[in-house]
């Protein structure tokens, strides 16, 4: 089950490096984003108490499939979660990508945000909630790992994102 979860979360990260770097107009140099988001550690965005309140383990596992999108994976029940900072995308640029089965604009504590389901993840019961931070974005990816299918993954991602948001820089 863990391998399936990891593969699904990897798929939500950006599907493949080619998908993210294809649109060079949106990735015209990550240096400013790197500076603004440099101090953001995806494994340090939530306290142990907050992690426990979401049913997540307090020890996150750093995972960086893409150099510009380091993340931290948390096993948990009823969902697993991955917190990720992305220095090459924003909510607006992410909306233009063709990797989403659905992409719905929303807000997280007043910030531009979106709730998205990656292509192929509708059956995997997974959701990505992203919001602008610095000159990039923060993603909260959740996936329900067990039946029955009674958890709203996007609602759970929004709950987590609302706790993460105060701990990251304002959009630049």
């Amino acid at each position: 089950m863990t391998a399936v979860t990891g593969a699904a979360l990897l798929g939500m990260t950006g599907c493949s490096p080619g998908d993210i770097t294809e649109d060079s107009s949106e990735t015209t140099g990550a240096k400013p984003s790197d500076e603004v988001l440099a101090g953001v550690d995806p494994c340090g965005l939530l306290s142990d108490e907050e992690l426990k309140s979401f049913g997540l383990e307090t020890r996150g596992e750093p995972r960086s499939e893409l150099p510009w999108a380091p993340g931290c994976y948390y096993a948990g029940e009823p969902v697993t979660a991955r917190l990720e900072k992305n220095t090459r995308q924003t909510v607006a640029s992410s909306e233009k990508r063709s990797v989403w089965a659905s992409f719905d604009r929303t807000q997280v504590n007043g910030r531009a945000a979106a709730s998205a389901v990656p292509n192929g993840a509708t059956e995997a019961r997974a959701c990505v909630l992203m919001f602008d931070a610095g000159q990039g974005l923060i993603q909260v990816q959740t996936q329900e790992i067990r039946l029955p299918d009674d958890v709203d993954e996007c609602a759970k991602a929004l709950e987590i994102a609302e706790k993460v948001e105060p701990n990251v820089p304002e959009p630049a």
Side-chain angles (χ1 to χ4, degrees):
M1 183 62 90
T2 302
V4 171
T5 301
L9 290 176
L10 173 58
M12 289 189 299
T13 301
C15 292
S16 73
D19 289 337
I20 291 177
T21 58
E22 262 177 31
D23 185 1
S24 61
S25 67
E26 297 299 331
T27 59
T28 57
K31 187 79 171 149
S33 298
D34 288 344
E35 292 172 9
V36 173
L37 293 174
V40 175
D41 174 11
C43 288
L45 291 173
L46 295 172
S47 69
D48 287 353
E49 294 77 28
E50 289 168 325
L51 290 164
K52 287 177 187 175
S53 75
F54 295 119
L56 300 172
E57 293 183 1
T58 57
R59 180 182 287 174
E61 179 182 325
R63 292 198 183 160
S64 298
E65 286 86 10
L66 304 171
W68 58 87
C72 192
Y73 171 80
Y74 294 93
E77 186 70 39
V79 297
T80 61
R82 178 182 161 92
L83 305 180
E84 178 181 289
K85 69 177 177 180
N86 186 314
T87 60
R88 290 196 176 178
Q89 296 290 315
T90 62
V91 172
S93 67
S94 294
E95 184 173 21
K96 297 174 187 174
R97 298 178 61 221
S98 63
V99 299
W100 309 116
S102 69
F103 192 96
D104 300 311
R105 289 294 202 128
T106 188
Q107 290 191 350
V108 172
N109 300 337
R111 291 192 197 203
S115 177
V117 176
N119 291 328
T122 53
E123 293 177 16
R125 302 182 322 266
C127 186
V128 177
L129 192 294
M130 63 190 82
F131 63 91
D132 287 334
Q135 291 173 315
L137 62 79
I138 300 295
Q139 288 186 358
V140 177
Q141 305 163 359
T142 56
Q143 182 174 17
E144 187 175 6
I145 58 169
R146 298 179 194 244
L147 293 173
D149 183 13
D150 59 355
V151 173
D152 181 341
E153 297 83 13
C154 291
K156 191 58 112 173
L158 178 59
E159 287 178 44
I160 296 169
E162 288 172 341
K163 291 290 187 185
V164 169
E165 182 274 333
N167 300 323
V168 299
E170 291 290 325

